[in-house]
C-alpha cells in the first residue's frame, strides 16, 4: 500500500494515513487502501485494537481531496459520497475498538473519519472543522449525521454552517474528543488508553460496541431490547466464566477471546 501503513505490536494495530504532500487528504486510492486495511484487520488475531493517525506532525487528514471536486457531476458526487460513507461505516462497524489519534488538521473528511472512530483523542495542536460550506458543498462522508449525534444538533450546525475551525480545547468542550494530550506524547498516551481496553474481555468489548451502535438513534425501548439480547449472547462466551471466576479467586482474568 502506498498511502496507508499498518504496524501491529502488543495487540495494537497502528494505522497511519501518510500522504503528507497533500496533508493526508483522502483521494480514491487512500479510501481503497483504508478499506482493504480494515478488511484485513478483521481477521488478524494479533490486532485487537486499532489506532488511526496521520503521517507527519501537521495533519491527521485535511479532508477529501478537493482537486477532484471541479470535474464531478452531481451523479458522480453521489457516488463519491457513498464511497466515503461505505469505508467509514466499515470502520465504525469494527468489533475491534478504533481510536483516532488526531495529530493535526482534522477537516472535512478528516473530521468525519474521526467521527466514525469509537474514541477520539487530540493533540494540543489539533484543529477540527467541517469547512465544506466554504467550498459551496456540504459534508458528505457522514458529517451531517454523525456530528449531530455526537455533539448535539446546535453545536454541530455551528460547525457545519460556519465552516470554522476549532482547536483541541473547544473540541473537548463540545464533546467532540475524549481527551487532549501534548503532541509529542499523543501516540504514547493513546496507546495507554488502548492498553486499558485490551485488559478487558474482548468479547465483552465487542458486544458493547455492537449494542451501543445498534441502539443509537432508536427509541429507548428498542435499544433496551438490543441490550438484553447482547447481554444474553455474551453469556454464551467462555470469557464471561473466566471473568467472574477470576474475580472470585482474586486474580486477574485470562481472557481467551472466546
Ligand atoms: N484536498 C486536496 N489537497 C489538499 C487538501 C485537500 N483537502 N488539503 C490540503 N491540500 C494540499 C494543498 O493543496 C497543498 O498542496 P500543494 O502544495 O500541492 O499546493 C498541500 O496540501 C499543503 O496545503 P497548504 O494549503 O499549502 O497548507 P497550509 O498550512 O497553508 O493550510 C489547511 C492548511 C489545512 C488550512 C489548508 O490546506 C486547507 O484549508 N485545506 C483544505 C481543508 C478542507 O477544506 N477540507 C475539506 C474538504 S471537503
Amino acid at each position: 500500500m502506498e498511502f496507508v501503513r499498518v504496524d501491529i505490536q502488543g495487540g495494537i494495530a497502528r494505522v497511519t494515513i501518510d500522504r503528507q504532500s497533500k496533508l493526508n487528504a483522502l483521494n480514491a486510492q487512500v479510501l481503497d487502501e483504508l478499506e482493504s486495511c480494515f478488511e484485513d484487520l478483521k481477521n488478524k488475531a494479533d490486532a485487537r485494537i486499532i489506532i488511526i493517525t496521520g503521517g507527519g506532525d501537521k495533519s491527521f487528514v485535511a479532508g477529501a481531496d478537493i482537486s477532484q471536486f471541479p470535474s464531478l457531476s452531481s451523479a458522480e458526487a453521489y457516488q463519491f459520497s457513498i464511497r466515503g460513507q461505505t469505508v467509514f461505516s466499515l470502520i465504525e462497524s469494527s468489533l475491534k475498538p478504533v481510536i483516532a489519534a488526531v495529530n493535526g488538521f482534522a477537516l472535512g473528511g478528516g473530521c468525519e473519519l474521526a467521527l466514525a472512530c469509537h474514541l477520539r483523542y487530540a493533540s494540543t495542536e489539533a484543529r477540527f472543522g467541517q469547512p465544506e460550506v466554504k467550498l459551496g458543498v456540504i459534508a458528505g462522508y457522514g458529517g451531517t449525521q454523525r456530528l449531530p449525534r455526537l455533539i448535539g444538533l446546535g453545536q454541530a450546525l455551528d460547525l457545519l454552517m460556519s465552516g470554522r475551525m476549532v482547536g483541541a480545547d473547544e473540541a473537548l468542550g463540545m464533546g467532540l474528543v475524549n481527551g487532549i494530550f501534548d503532541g509529542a506524547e499523543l501516540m504514547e498516551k493513546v496507546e495507554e488508553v488502548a492498553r486499558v481496553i485490551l485488559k478487558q474481555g474482548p468479547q465483552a468489548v465487542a458486544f458493547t460496541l455492537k449494542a451501543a451502535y445498534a441502539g443509537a438513534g432508536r427509541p429507548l425501548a428498542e435499544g433496551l431490547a438490543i441490550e438484553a439480547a447482547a447481554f444474553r449472547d455474551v453469556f454464551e462466551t467462555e470469557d464471561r466464566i473466566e471473568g467472574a471466576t477470576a474475580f472470585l479467586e482474586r486474580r486477574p482474568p485470562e481472557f481467551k477471546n472466546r
Side-chain angles (χ1 to χ4, degrees):
M1 287 200 266
E2 186 181 354
F3 297 127
V4 175
R5 283 198 314 273
V6 185
D7 162 51
I8 303 175
Q9 270 173 38
I12 302 174
R14 189 196 292 203
V15 174
T16 307
I17 299 174
D18 201 347
R19 190 179 173 231
Q20 292 182 42
S21 64
K22 299 292 178 190
L23 302 183
N24 308 325
L26 304 169
N27 63 10
Q29 186 181 339
V30 179
L31 287 177
D32 288 349
E33 291 185 12
L34 262 183
E35 183 177 54
S36 66
C37 155
F38 273 82
E39 288 292 358
D40 285 353
L41 287 171
K42 268 188 200 169
N43 304 315
K44 283 211 174 354
D46 56 339
R48 291 186 37 217
I49 194 160
I50 299 157
I51 299 174
I52 306 187
T53 196
D57 53 11
K58 188 170 171 185
S59 184
F60 175 66
V61 166
D65 193 319
I66 300 169
S67 68
Q68 306 165 94
F69 283 16
S71 64
L72 281 187
S73 68
S74 56
E76 288 165 338
Y78 180 73
Q79 293 307 329
F80 181 93
S81 171
I82 296 287
R83 178 70 188 133
Q85 289 180 358
T86 301
V87 176
F88 287 8
S89 292
L90 172 72
I91 294 172
E92 186 180 64
S93 66
S94 167
L95 294 181
K96 301 177 182 188
V98 185
I99 309 178
V102 180
N103 57 317
F105 291 114
L107 302 175
C111 188
E112 291 166 301
L113 173 60
L115 292 170
C117 296
H118 304 137
L119 297 172
R120 287 151 290 281
Y121 292 91
S123 74
T124 42
E125 299 81 30
R127 314 280 311 272
F128 295 80
Q130 296 287 165
E132 290 87 348
V133 285
K134 295 185 179 208
L135 304 170
V137 299
I138 70 168
Y141 287 178
T144 66
Q145 303 306 308
R146 289 197 177 94
L147 194 58
R149 281 168 171 77
L150 184 68
I151 67 173
L153 190 56
Q155 306 241 60
L157 286 176
D158 165 13
L159 296 184
L160 288 160
M161 295 199 299
S162 69
R164 73 188 181 92
M165 279 194 236
V166 296
D169 283 334
E170 193 172 351
L172 183 66
M174 288 177 158
L176 181 43
V177 296
N178 295 82
I180 304 175
F181 298 119
D182 191 60
E185 295 185 333
L186 176 68
M187 196 43 81
E188 188 187 320
K189 295 286 186 188
V190 173
E191 286 182 2
E192 272 175 31
V193 172
R195 279 192 287 275
V196 171
I197 299 172
L198 275 179
K199 284 189 193 145
Q200 317 310 317
Q203 294 278 330
V205 169
F207 275 112
T208 298
L209 286 174
K210 228 189 230 180
Y213 280 97
R218 299 216 196 182
L220 181 64
E222 284 179 29
L224 291 175
I226 288 166
E227 181 183 81
F231 192 77
R232 174 197 63 211
D233 293 346
V234 83
F235 271 73
E236 299 285 337
T237 66
E238 285 177 29
D239 281 348
R240 67 95 182 181
I241 310 262
E242 168 61 10
T245 308
F247 174 81
L248 295 171
E249 293 175 356
R250 297 182 180 272
R251 61 171 175 80
E254 287 178 31
F255 293 119
K256 301 276 191 305
N257 197 11
R258 289 200 290 260

